[in-house]
Amino acid sequence: MNHDENPRNEQPEGAASPVPDAPAPPPAAEVSGRQRLKAGLWPPRLSRAQLIVAVLLFGLGLGLAIQVRSTSDDSALRGARQEDLVRILDEVDDRTQRLEDEKQRLDDQRTELENSSDQAEEARKQTLEKERQLGILAGTVAAQGPGITLTITDPSGAVAPDMLLDAIQELRAAGAEAIQVNGVRVVANTYFSGDAGSVEVDGKKIEAPYEFTVIGKPQDLEPALNIPGGVVQTLEKEQATVLVERSDDIVVDALRPAQRPDYARSSSL
């Protein structure tokens, strides 16, 4: 057969070649959730109201932190016992009261000096008052005021000098300001000597009954003598009899001669 066959399906020479189909455009890349979240948060887009709220919250947090820190500074006393807290409070109150009393006294003195028409005269009066007070302590002037009388009878002669000295020490510790024993003024350097039943005060012999005349606050002096195991109980064990009487008018008039020191001089001279 004489046919023109084109077993390869080739196009006739000179025929146009068919145009191949254009490739489809690639699909758009899908955006992940994380990327969308990041795009929504950054860069931040804060409104004015949000900015004000943020500043207020920061200030509130800072204030709370300062308050907690200041409160923690007082935690040292939180672990203390109630008895310790009460004692600390009492000590603070007593110290405060003493300071207030001292301040008031100094204020009164300053007012007297400022208001006095003659400040020199006022200063002289204060000097005399100070001299009188020192004279009471030194035993060179008489004293008068509230206090107690302590009378000790010793029928068995068993009261020793050291027992009488213990009584003096207890009275001084309780605030006694002036003391005399059987007409002998008791001062800073007073001493007791001798034996039981034969007692001497500053070298002067005294005999029972021993009578203590004491100026001070009676409410403090009497309990100091009657404490358990104190002066009264000790004397009663020696068969002595002890009588304590309060009075609003006690006179201590036994005097010591004023002595000029041989070597000591005032540092203001």
Side-chain angles (χ1 to χ4, degrees):
M1 294 178 57
N2 190 12
H3 289 199
D4 290 333
E5 294 180 357
N6 189 358
R8 300 181 183 176
N9 295 326
E10 294 180 355
Q11 295 292 334
E13 186 175 346
S17 301
V19 179
D21 295 337
E30 294 184 0
V31 180
S32 66
R34 179 177 298 179
Q35 290 174 331
R36 289 197 301 271
L37 178 60
K38 182 177 181 181
L41 294 178
W42 189 264
R45 293 181 293 275
L46 295 177
S47 66
R48 183 177 181 181
Q50 291 173 330
L51 182 60
I52 293 175
V53 170
V55 173
L56 292 177
L57 290 175
F58 174 77
L60 178 61
L62 181 62
L64 289 174
I66 295 175
Q67 179 67 25
V68 170
R69 182 173 182 179
S70 62
T71 303
S72 63
D73 293 339
D74 298 333
S75 61
L77 295 177
R78 292 183 179 177
R81 298 179 304 173
Q82 181 178 0
E83 295 80 358
D84 296 335
L85 294 175
V86 172
R87 177 181 55 80
I88 293 173
L89 182 59
D90 290 341
E91 291 176 355
V92 172
D93 290 341
D94 293 342
R95 188 180 303 111
T96 300
Q97 185 61 46
R98 289 196 298 269
L99 291 175
E100 289 179 353
D101 294 343
E102 180 67 13
K103 178 180 179 296
Q104 184 62 44
R105 185 182 66 82
L106 294 175
D107 288 342
D108 294 341
Q109 289 184 358
R110 182 187 64 183
T111 301
E112 290 176 0
L113 290 173
E114 290 176 348
N115 298 336
S116 175
S117 58
D118 187 351
Q119 294 187 1
E121 178 64 19
E122 184 63 30
R124 187 185 70 84
K125 290 181 180 179
Q126 292 188 12
T127 300
L128 292 176
E129 176 64 19
K130 190 68 174 179
E131 181 181 357
R132 187 188 68 83
Q133 294 176 358
L134 294 176
I136 292 175
L137 297 177
T140 57
V141 298
Q144 184 175 3
I148 64 169
T149 57
L150 168 65
T151 304
I152 303 172
T153 58
D154 183 24
S156 60
V159 175
D162 59 335
M163 298 178 184
L164 301 182
L165 180 60
D166 288 343
I168 294 293
Q169 299 291 12
E170 289 290 350
L171 292 169
R172 282 175 170 170
E177 297 177 352
I179 306 174
Q180 70 182 33
V181 181
N182 287 34
V184 180
R185 187 69 170 265
V186 176
V187 293
N189 58 351
T190 292
Y191 64 93
F192 287 76
S193 59
D195 299 316
S198 179
V199 180
E200 294 183 359
V201 182
D202 292 337
K204 181 178 180 181
K205 186 175 181 179
I206 60 174
E207 296 180 354
Y210 307 110
E211 183 174 303
F212 292 65
T213 307
V214 187
I215 293 178
K217 188 176 180 180
Q219 295 85 346
D220 293 339
L221 298 176
E222 183 178 1
L225 298 173
N226 286 293
I227 61 175
V231 173
V232 172
Q233 287 190 0
T234 301
L235 292 171
E236 289 177 346
K237 289 180 180 179
E238 301 297 333
Q239 306 304 316
T241 303
V242 181
L243 176 63
V244 180
E245 294 180 322
R246 300 186 184 187
S247 176
D248 294 330
D249 188 16
I250 295 291
V251 176
V252 175
D253 52 5
L255 302 181
R256 292 273 185 153
Q259 296 180 353
R260 184 180 180 87
D262 295 328
Y263 304 102
R265 296 291 182 270
S266 173
S267 59
S268 61
L269 295 179

